[in-house]
Amino acid sequence: MRRLLAGLLMVLLLGSVVPSASAVPSPVRTVTISSIRTTDATKGVITVVGTLSPAPANGTRIPLHQWIPSQKRWQEIAHGYSTGGSVTIATVQPGSIRTYRLAVGAQAPYAAALSPMISFKHYVWRGIFKKGVLAVGGAGQPQFNVVPPKEGPRRAEADLLADQGGYVWGEVDSTGCRYSRNWLGNLTDGLVRVSLHDGTTAVTSLRMQQETETWLNYDISGITRLRLQVTDVRSGYGPYVSIDSLLLCTN
């Protein structure tokens, strides 16, 4: 009888053994980028909003990583601090098309976690001449004079001149750009026409009266060779227009 009772007790004890900790899955924290956008295209500010669940301790440091293709590695470019289940991170970056992710370190009982990757096109305003001029031309002794870097570090300013009845143009590489914004100051003693071209094909134009200022803005999506041209319509000495031009680009 004693042996039988001892056997039953052993069975009960074995049946109540708690599984080892290694058999219990660790709780998981998820991280996602819920929003990424350019919030200041002039300064180049990207703002990223992330969602963290479950929420880590308030004030947890959350890095923002950017994939660097040339080095084939992730690089931390900014960080923020969590508030509840959210984090907002702002960083200044040049125009680019890059891949991003968020990271959160381990906090017991949660292991470190990474968000899914997300690709983003970051458009930033830059001077139209930042990457140089591809070609210039025209008729009537055309002059396409870009202001030197020491005088115009934004690489956005130029003077366009030609003789009476002439015209002048300059071309830039606009690959990766989607918008052109041009301030124009007509110093001509008469009427001129200012136009934007896709290569040699005009896409938009306007006429400017003597000694006036105006804007010529246009969506240039898909245009890879942008030409800016000034043509004399009616003047005594020929066209003379000063420009301050910007492109909205990812490069």
Side-chain angles (χ1 to χ4, degrees), residues 198-219:
D198 181 356
T200 59
T201 303
V203 293
T204 187
S205 67
L206 57 78
R207 290 192 173 196
M208 292 186 70
Q209 298 291 336
Q210 178 177 344
E211 297 180 354
T212 58
E213 299 177 4
T214 191
W215 290 88
L216 179 61
N217 303 329
Y218 197 73
D219 186 334

PDB file of all heavy atoms in Angstrom, residues 198-219:
ATOM      1  N   ASP A 198      11.358  72.181 -72.495  1.00  0.00           N
ATOM      2  CA  ASP A 198      11.781  70.807 -72.318  1.00  0.00           C
ATOM      3  C   ASP A 198      12.716  70.509 -73.483  1.00  0.00           C
ATOM      4  O   ASP A 198      12.279  70.188 -74.584  1.00  0.00           O
ATOM      5  CB  ASP A 198      10.566  69.882 -72.341  1.00  0.00           C
ATOM      6  CG  ASP A 198      10.943  68.418 -72.138  1.00  0.00           C
ATOM      7  OD1 ASP A 198      12.151  68.124 -72.060  1.00  0.00           O
ATOM      8  OD2 ASP A 198      10.037  67.565 -72.078  1.00  0.00           O
ATOM      9  N   GLY A 199      14.008  70.675 -73.228  1.00  0.00           N
ATOM     10  CA  GLY A 199      14.949  70.642 -74.345  1.00  0.00           C
ATOM     11  C   GLY A 199      14.725  71.866 -75.208  1.00  0.00           C
ATOM     12  O   GLY A 199      14.877  73.001 -74.760  1.00  0.00           O
ATOM     13  N   THR A 200      14.295  71.655 -76.442  1.00  0.00           N
ATOM     14  CA  THR A 200      14.053  72.780 -77.358  1.00  0.00           C
ATOM     15  C   THR A 200      12.568  73.114 -77.501  1.00  0.00           C
ATOM     16  O   THR A 200      12.211  74.030 -78.231  1.00  0.00           O
ATOM     17  CB  THR A 200      14.627  72.458 -78.748  1.00  0.00           C
ATOM     18  OG1 THR A 200      14.005  71.265 -79.254  1.00  0.00           O
ATOM     19  CG2 THR A 200      16.135  72.255 -78.679  1.00  0.00           C
ATOM     20  N   THR A 201      11.703  72.382 -76.803  1.00  0.00           N
ATOM     21  CA  THR A 201      10.251  72.592 -76.910  1.00  0.00           C
ATOM     22  C   THR A 201       9.751  73.458 -75.762  1.00  0.00           C
ATOM     23  O   THR A 201       9.899  73.092 -74.593  1.00  0.00           O
ATOM     24  CB  THR A 201       9.502  71.252 -76.900  1.00  0.00           C
ATOM     25  OG1 THR A 201       9.985  70.419 -77.960  1.00  0.00           O
ATOM     26  CG2 THR A 201       8.010  71.469 -77.074  1.00  0.00           C
ATOM     27  N   ALA A 202       9.157  74.609 -76.075  1.00  0.00           N
ATOM     28  CA  ALA A 202       8.633  75.502 -75.044  1.00  0.00           C
ATOM     29  C   ALA A 202       7.441  74.858 -74.331  1.00  0.00           C
ATOM     30  O   ALA A 202       6.564  74.281 -74.979  1.00  0.00           O
ATOM     31  CB  ALA A 202       8.222  76.831 -75.661  1.00  0.00           C
ATOM     32  N   VAL A 203       7.423  74.954 -73.007  1.00  0.00           N
ATOM     33  CA  VAL A 203       6.312  74.392 -72.237  1.00  0.00           C
ATOM     34  C   VAL A 203       5.487  75.483 -71.551  1.00  0.00           C
ATOM     35  O   VAL A 203       4.316  75.266 -71.229  1.00  0.00           O
ATOM     36  CB  VAL A 203       6.822  73.376 -71.187  1.00  0.00           C
ATOM     37  CG1 VAL A 203       7.394  72.146 -71.869  1.00  0.00           C
ATOM     38  CG2 VAL A 203       7.855  73.999 -70.252  1.00  0.00           C
ATOM     39  N   THR A 204       6.087  76.650 -71.326  1.00  0.00           N
ATOM     40  CA  THR A 204       5.348  77.769 -70.762  1.00  0.00           C
ATOM     41  C   THR A 204       6.136  79.051 -71.034  1.00  0.00           C
ATOM     42  O   THR A 204       7.359  79.017 -71.204  1.00  0.00           O
ATOM     43  CB  THR A 204       5.118  77.601 -69.245  1.00  0.00           C
ATOM     44  OG1 THR A 204       4.241  78.647 -68.767  1.00  0.00           O
ATOM     45  CG2 THR A 204       6.423  77.677 -68.466  1.00  0.00           C
ATOM     46  N   SER A 205       5.434  80.176 -71.093  1.00  0.00           N
ATOM     47  CA  SER A 205       6.108  81.451 -71.348  1.00  0.00           C
ATOM     48  C   SER A 205       5.232  82.594 -70.868  1.00  0.00           C
ATOM     49  O   SER A 205       4.033  82.422 -70.592  1.00  0.00           O
ATOM     50  CB  SER A 205       6.416  81.620 -72.841  1.00  0.00           C
ATOM     51  OG  SER A 205       5.214  81.742 -73.584  1.00  0.00           O
ATOM     52  N   LEU A 206       5.843  83.775 -70.775  1.00  0.00           N
ATOM     53  CA  LEU A 206       5.104  84.997 -70.452  1.00  0.00           C
ATOM     54  C   LEU A 206       5.837  86.183 -71.053  1.00  0.00           C
ATOM     55  O   LEU A 206       7.027  86.107 -71.368  1.00  0.00           O
ATOM     56  CB  LEU A 206       4.920  85.163 -68.942  1.00  0.00           C
ATOM     57  CG  LEU A 206       6.159  85.188 -68.026  1.00  0.00           C
ATOM     58  CD1 LEU A 206       6.859  86.537 -68.062  1.00  0.00           C
ATOM     59  CD2 LEU A 206       5.757  84.872 -66.605  1.00  0.00           C
ATOM     60  N   ARG A 207       5.107  87.282 -71.204  1.00  0.00           N
ATOM     61  CA  ARG A 207       5.710  88.526 -71.692  1.00  0.00           C
ATOM     62  C   ARG A 207       5.876  89.485 -70.523  1.00  0.00           C
ATOM     63  O   ARG A 207       5.019  89.565 -69.643  1.00  0.00           O
ATOM     64  CB  ARG A 207       4.840  89.162 -72.772  1.00  0.00           C
ATOM     65  CG  ARG A 207       4.830  88.370 -74.083  1.00  0.00           C
ATOM     66  CD  ARG A 207       4.201  89.175 -75.199  1.00  0.00           C
ATOM     67  NE  ARG A 207       4.336  88.513 -76.499  1.00  0.00           N
ATOM     68  CZ  ARG A 207       4.158  89.110 -77.664  1.00  0.00           C
ATOM     69  NH1 ARG A 207       3.818  90.396 -77.708  1.00  0.00           N
ATOM     70  NH2 ARG A 207       4.297  88.450 -78.790  1.00  0.00           N
ATOM     71  N   MET A 208       6.995  90.224 -70.554  1.00  0.00           N
ATOM     72  CA  MET A 208       7.278  91.176 -69.488  1.00  0.00           C
ATOM     73  C   MET A 208       7.454  92.574 -70.077  1.00  0.00           C
ATOM     74  O   MET A 208       8.207  92.773 -71.038  1.00  0.00           O
ATOM     75  CB  MET A 208       8.569  90.796 -68.742  1.00  0.00           C
ATOM     76  CG  MET A 208       8.480  89.523 -67.942  1.00  0.00           C
ATOM     77  SD  MET A 208      10.002  89.260 -66.976  1.00  0.00           S
ATOM     78  CE  MET A 208       9.843  90.569 -65.740  1.00  0.00           C
ATOM     79  N   GLN A 209       6.739  93.512 -69.482  1.00  0.00           N
ATOM     80  CA  GLN A 209       6.878  94.904 -69.887  1.00  0.00           C
ATOM     81  C   GLN A 209       8.175  95.486 -69.339  1.00  0.00           C
ATOM     82  O   GLN A 209       8.820  94.918 -68.457  1.00  0.00           O
ATOM     83  CB  GLN A 209       5.686  95.727 -69.372  1.00  0.00           C
ATOM     84  CG  GLN A 209       4.336  95.295 -69.912  1.00  0.00           C
ATOM     85  CD  GLN A 209       4.174  95.592 -71.387  1.00  0.00           C
ATOM     86  OE1 GLN A 209       4.837  96.485 -71.937  1.00  0.00           O
ATOM     87  NE2 GLN A 209       3.292  94.846 -72.058  1.00  0.00           N
ATOM     88  N   GLN A 210       8.555  96.614 -69.872  1.00  0.00           N
ATOM     89  CA  GLN A 210       9.786  97.301 -69.475  1.00  0.00           C
ATOM     90  C   GLN A 210       9.838  97.547 -67.976  1.00  0.00           C
ATOM     91  O   GLN A 210       8.871  97.987 -67.359  1.00  0.00           O
ATOM     92  CB  GLN A 210       9.876  98.634 -70.232  1.00  0.00           C
ATOM     93  CG  GLN A 210      11.084  99.489 -69.879  1.00  0.00           C
ATOM     94  CD  GLN A 210      11.139 100.752 -70.706  1.00  0.00           C
ATOM     95  OE1 GLN A 210      10.463 100.858 -71.731  1.00  0.00           O
ATOM     96  NE2 GLN A 210      11.934 101.713 -70.268  1.00  0.00           N
ATOM     97  N   GLU A 211      10.981  97.212 -67.366  1.00  0.00           N
ATOM     98  CA  GLU A 211      11.280  97.478 -65.956  1.00  0.00           C
ATOM     99  C   GLU A 211      10.172  96.960 -65.036  1.00  0.00           C
ATOM    100  O   GLU A 211       9.626  97.693 -64.210  1.00  0.00           O
ATOM    101  CB  GLU A 211      11.525  98.976 -65.732  1.00  0.00           C
ATOM    102  CG  GLU A 211      12.742  99.491 -66.493  1.00  0.00           C
ATOM    103  CD  GLU A 211      12.986 100.970 -66.281  1.00  0.00           C
ATOM    104  OE1 GLU A 211      12.144 101.622 -65.642  1.00  0.00           O
ATOM    105  OE2 GLU A 211      14.016 101.462 -66.764  1.00  0.00           O
ATOM    106  N   THR A 212       9.849  95.687 -65.171  1.00  0.00           N
ATOM    107  CA  THR A 212       8.857  95.045 -64.305  1.00  0.00           C
ATOM    108  C   THR A 212       9.470  93.797 -63.674  1.00  0.00           C
ATOM    109  O   THR A 212      10.511  93.290 -64.111  1.00  0.00           O
ATOM    110  CB  THR A 212       7.592  94.646 -65.086  1.00  0.00           C
ATOM    111  OG1 THR A 212       7.956  93.763 -66.159  1.00  0.00           O
ATOM    112  CG2 THR A 212       6.886  95.864 -65.636  1.00  0.00           C
ATOM    113  N   GLU A 213       8.795  93.295 -62.637  1.00  0.00           N
ATOM    114  CA  GLU A 213       9.192  92.060 -61.968  1.00  0.00           C
ATOM    115  C   GLU A 213       8.009  91.097 -61.975  1.00  0.00           C
ATOM    116  O   GLU A 213       6.858  91.520 -61.905  1.00  0.00           O
ATOM    117  CB  GLU A 213       9.602  92.332 -60.512  1.00  0.00           C
ATOM    118  CG  GLU A 213      10.774  93.273 -60.357  1.00  0.00           C
ATOM    119  CD  GLU A 213      11.087  93.551 -58.889  1.00  0.00           C
ATOM    120  OE1 GLU A 213      10.422  92.938 -58.017  1.00  0.00           O
ATOM    121  OE2 GLU A 213      11.990  94.363 -58.615  1.00  0.00           O
ATOM    122  N   THR A 214       8.295  89.793 -62.039  1.00  0.00           N
ATOM    123  CA  THR A 214       7.228  88.804 -61.981  1.00  0.00           C
ATOM    124  C   THR A 214       7.820  87.438 -61.675  1.00  0.00           C
ATOM    125  O   THR A 214       9.034  87.288 -61.485  1.00  0.00           O
ATOM    126  CB  THR A 214       6.436  88.762 -63.304  1.00  0.00           C
ATOM    127  OG1 THR A 214       5.252  87.977 -63.101  1.00  0.00           O
ATOM    128  CG2 THR A 214       7.257  88.138 -64.423  1.00  0.00           C
ATOM    129  N   TRP A 215       6.943  86.420 -61.605  1.00  0.00           N
ATOM    130  CA  TRP A 215       7.353  85.039 -61.355  1.00  0.00           C
ATOM    131  C   TRP A 215       6.932  84.172 -62.532  1.00  0.00           C
ATOM    132  O   TRP A 215       5.871  84.367 -63.134  1.00  0.00           O
ATOM    133  CB  TRP A 215       6.686  84.488 -60.088  1.00  0.00           C
ATOM    134  CG  TRP A 215       7.205  85.106 -58.822  1.00  0.00           C
ATOM    135  CD1 TRP A 215       6.756  86.243 -58.215  1.00  0.00           C
ATOM    136  CD2 TRP A 215       8.278  84.637 -58.009  1.00  0.00           C
ATOM    137  NE1 TRP A 215       7.464  86.501 -57.080  1.00  0.00           N
ATOM    138  CE2 TRP A 215       8.408  85.524 -56.924  1.00  0.00           C
ATOM    139  CE3 TRP A 215       9.130  83.534 -58.086  1.00  0.00           C
ATOM    140  CZ2 TRP A 215       9.366  85.350 -55.923  1.00  0.00           C
ATOM    141  CZ3 TRP A 215      10.085  83.349 -57.096  1.00  0.00           C
ATOM    142  CH2 TRP A 215      10.196  84.255 -56.022  1.00  0.00           C
ATOM    143  N   LEU A 216       7.763  83.179 -62.848  1.00  0.00           N
ATOM    144  CA  LEU A 216       7.433  82.159 -63.838  1.00  0.00           C
ATOM    145  C   LEU A 216       7.675  80.806 -63.164  1.00  0.00           C
ATOM    146  O   LEU A 216       8.819  80.384 -62.992  1.00  0.00           O
ATOM    147  CB  LEU A 216       8.300  82.304 -65.093  1.00  0.00           C
ATOM    148  CG  LEU A 216       8.058  81.249 -66.196  1.00  0.00           C
ATOM    149  CD1 LEU A 216       6.620  81.312 -66.696  1.00  0.00           C
ATOM    150  CD2 LEU A 216       9.035  81.456 -67.354  1.00  0.00           C
ATOM    151  N   ASN A 217       6.585  80.160 -62.765  1.00  0.00           N
ATOM    152  CA  ASN A 217       6.661  78.898 -62.032  1.00  0.00           C
ATOM    153  C   ASN A 217       5.984  77.800 -62.845  1.00  0.00           C
ATOM    154  O   ASN A 217       4.961  78.037 -63.506  1.00  0.00           O
ATOM    155  CB  ASN A 217       5.984  79.023 -60.665  1.00  0.00           C
ATOM    156  CG  ASN A 217       6.582  80.140 -59.832  1.00  0.00           C
ATOM    157  OD1 ASN A 217       7.776  80.441 -59.947  1.00  0.00           O
ATOM    158  ND2 ASN A 217       5.767  80.767 -59.002  1.00  0.00           N
ATOM    159  N   TYR A 218       6.546  76.571 -62.750  1.00  0.00           N
ATOM    160  CA  TYR A 218       5.991  75.513 -63.592  1.00  0.00           C
ATOM    161  C   TYR A 218       6.359  74.135 -63.057  1.00  0.00           C
ATOM    162  O   TYR A 218       7.452  73.938 -62.524  1.00  0.00           O
ATOM    163  CB  TYR A 218       6.524  75.653 -65.022  1.00  0.00           C
ATOM    164  CG  TYR A 218       5.733  74.891 -66.049  1.00  0.00           C
ATOM    165  CD1 TYR A 218       4.465  75.317 -66.448  1.00  0.00           C
ATOM    166  CD2 TYR A 218       6.244  73.738 -66.632  1.00  0.00           C
ATOM    167  CE1 TYR A 218       3.732  74.613 -67.394  1.00  0.00           C
ATOM    168  CE2 TYR A 218       5.518  73.025 -67.578  1.00  0.00           C
ATOM    169  CZ  TYR A 218       4.261  73.476 -67.950  1.00  0.00           C
ATOM    170  OH  TYR A 218       3.539  72.778 -68.894  1.00  0.00           O
ATOM    171  N   ASP A 219       5.413  73.193 -63.212  1.00  0.00           N
ATOM    172  CA  ASP A 219       5.656  71.793 -62.873  1.00  0.00           C
ATOM    173  C   ASP A 219       6.511  71.174 -63.972  1.00  0.00           C
ATOM    174  O   ASP A 219       6.080  71.072 -65.122  1.00  0.00           O
ATOM    175  CB  ASP A 219       4.317  71.053 -62.765  1.00  0.00           C
ATOM    176  CG  ASP A 219       4.472  69.610 -62.273  1.00  0.00           C
ATOM    177  OD1 ASP A 219       5.560  69.023 -62.475  1.00  0.00           O
ATOM    178  OD2 ASP A 219       3.509  69.074 -61.712  1.00  0.00           O
TER     179      ASP A 219
END
